[in-house]
Amino acid sequence: MTKQLVNSFLIIYISLAIGYLIQLLVKKSILSLPFSLEKARKILQKLAILFFMPLTYIGIYWMMDFHQIKLLFFPLLGILNLILGGTIAILIAGRIRLNNKDTGAFFCCGFFSNLINIGGLICFLSLGEEGYKLVPLYTFFIQITYYAIGFSIAKYYSMKDKQQDQNAFDLKVMLKDPFILVGLASIIIGLSFNASGLLRPAIYTTIISLFIPISTILLLISIGLSMKFNKVRQYLKESILIAAIKFLIVPAVMISIGFLFGYHQINDGLPLKVILILSSAPVAFHSLIPPSQYGLNLDLANSCWIFTTFSLIPLIPLLFFLINLI
């Protein structure tokens, strides 16, 4: 357990530190890149999301066991995870009287969760490939839910003060998004191999063990390239409230639902352990995209993202402890 714990910290925080250090060196003209930090960030994200992660998903779905009919509800739990966090955030925003732009950003932080990169990495390091197999299932509809619900609600709050001639939900744009198309294609290919009865090559186990941390490292470095710490203190109250949603309320509800489905009785409680980890995921980097696109409070979203990401320092040991109790 100690080794997995150390590996989790090293991968997450060294990757973020590398990205942030590069950002500082470039801004101080100590380091010169052949392209902008923004372009570097996009290149790293595309490499991770369009190459490493799809190949991993193909291998995972290739070997996925669907004999447990109860696991077919896993994708729905993933959607509920996001909706629950976003709904609670809107309710709290009303109680603390946030304006529309702040409420939209606050909703994004409650809704968008780092289920795949951080949650998936912790599942892999603590539960191995068996545990990680359930991550793509839990996050099966995550990209579609991000666009269909997350982005449209964020846009709604940006339009409340000033009407804009834009569609809140554009299906054509969503279906042209390469991230969604490649993600869905990798799932379909993996499931096709699964149904065909073909044996997965033994080398795929090694590929998965390498590609999971590599994709996470690339994405975290890209996040470090754009991290801003100077506004966190200004939005400390909002950050603490988001942390309570992410690390207390949502996990408590999702774990309770997991018990009702009897996931604690399947494979030594493995599905319930995965639910615990994924429902405790911090704010996702996606929470910064709608505020920057729709004119919401980007500083608030950035502060909540930083606060919850660094809250993993006490959270990860607690998760490892709780996993051993299930």
Side-chain angles (χ1 to χ4, degrees):
M1 175 177 141
T2 303
K3 181 180 178 181
Q4 292 92 327
L5 190 60
V6 172
N7 287 339
S8 299
F9 282 124
L10 289 177
I11 291 174
I12 293 171
Y13 293 108
I14 289 181
S15 301
L16 287 171
I18 290 172
Y20 188 64
L21 178 61
I22 293 173
Q23 177 194 160
L24 293 179
L25 293 176
V26 169
K27 287 183 176 180
K28 293 183 177 181
S29 300
I30 298 174
L31 177 66
S32 178
L33 297 178
F35 35 71
S36 67
L37 288 173
E38 177 66 16
K39 187 174 182 180
R41 184 178 64 80
K42 290 182 178 179
I43 290 173
L44 291 175
Q45 290 176 354
K46 287 180 178 179
L47 186 59
I49 298 173
L50 300 180
F51 178 71
F52 287 104
M53 290 177 65
L55 289 177
T56 301
Y57 273 29
I58 289 173
I60 292 297
Y61 276 104
W62 196 339
M63 295 294 290
M64 188 170 285
D65 183 5
F66 291 99
H67 290 117
Q68 286 287 353
I69 190 68
K70 291 180 179 180
L71 291 181
L72 296 180
F73 291 102
F74 240 54
L76 299 180
L77 293 183
I79 296 174
L80 178 61
N81 190 143
L82 302 180
I83 293 176
L84 181 63
T87 301
I88 296 171
I90 290 176
L91 293 175
I92 291 178
R95 294 288 296 178
I96 62 177
R97 302 181 183 278
L98 295 181
N99 61 38
N100 288 326
K101 289 187 177 182
D102 288 357
T103 297
F106 197 73
F107 159 79
C108 289
C109 294
F111 182 86
F112 296 102
S113 294
N114 207 324
L115 302 176
I116 298 176
N117 303 322
I118 300 297
L121 176 69
I122 296 174
C123 282
F124 178 70
L125 293 176
S126 60
L127 304 173
E129 186 178 336
E130 279 299 307
Y132 189 81
K133 283 180 181 179
L134 296 177
V135 176
L137 195 60
Y138 193 86
T139 60
F140 195 91
F141 296 116
I142 186 174
Q143 290 291 350
I144 295 175
T145 306
Y146 272 6
Y147 279 82
I149 299 177
F151 278 66
S152 60
I153 292 179
K155 183 178 287 187
Y156 165 77
Y157 278 102
S158 73
M159 295 167 60
K160 287 190 74 174
D161 291 328
K162 181 180 180 181
Q163 290 295 321
Q164 299 177 12
D165 187 21
Q166 295 180 347
N167 293 325
F169 173 59
D170 194 331
L171 182 62
K172 291 182 179 179
V173 172
M174 186 184 77
L175 293 178
K176 291 180 181 179
D177 192 304
F179 296 106
I180 293 178
L181 293 177
V182 172
L184 291 176
S186 64
I187 293 171
I188 293 171
I189 293 171
L191 291 175
S192 298
F193 282 139
N194 188 305
S196 71
L198 291 172
L199 293 177
R200 194 183 76 180
I203 194 173
Y204 225 121
T205 301
T206 303
I207 291 174
I208 290 174
S209 66
L210 291 173
F211 279 19
I212 291 173
I214 287 174
S215 62
T216 302
I217 288 169
L218 292 176
L219 286 169
L220 289 173
I221 289 175
S222 75
I223 292 170
L225 293 175
S226 59
M227 279 198 304
K228 298 177 182 178
F229 291 96
N230 56 341
K231 295 286 186 177
V232 175
R233 184 177 297 179
Q234 182 177 341
Y235 296 102
L236 186 59
K237 180 180 72 174
E238 291 83 353
S239 298
I240 292 173
L241 289 171
I242 286 294
I245 294 172
K246 293 292 188 184
F247 304 143
L248 293 175
I249 303 174
V250 171
V253 174
M254 298 307 300
I255 284 293
S256 299
I257 294 174
F259 268 106
L260 291 176
F261 275 105
Y263 287 145
H264 59 294
Q265 299 173 338
I266 300 175
N267 197 6
D268 294 327
L270 186 65
L272 193 64
K273 294 175 183 179
V274 171
I275 291 174
L276 169 63
I277 294 172
L278 297 184
S279 64
S280 303
V283 175
F285 183 67
H286 280 81
S287 65
L288 307 181
I289 298 175
S292 63
Q293 287 189 346
Y294 306 142
L296 301 172
N297 191 333
L298 184 58
D299 289 333
L300 187 155
N302 180 72
S303 299
C304 293
W305 178 85
I306 290 175
F307 187 89
T308 57
T309 298
F310 281 88
S311 295
L312 290 172
I313 294 174
L315 179 68
I316 292 178
L318 178 60
L319 286 176
F320 276 71
F321 172 75
L322 293 174
I323 286 169
N324 289 325
L325 295 180
I326 296 177

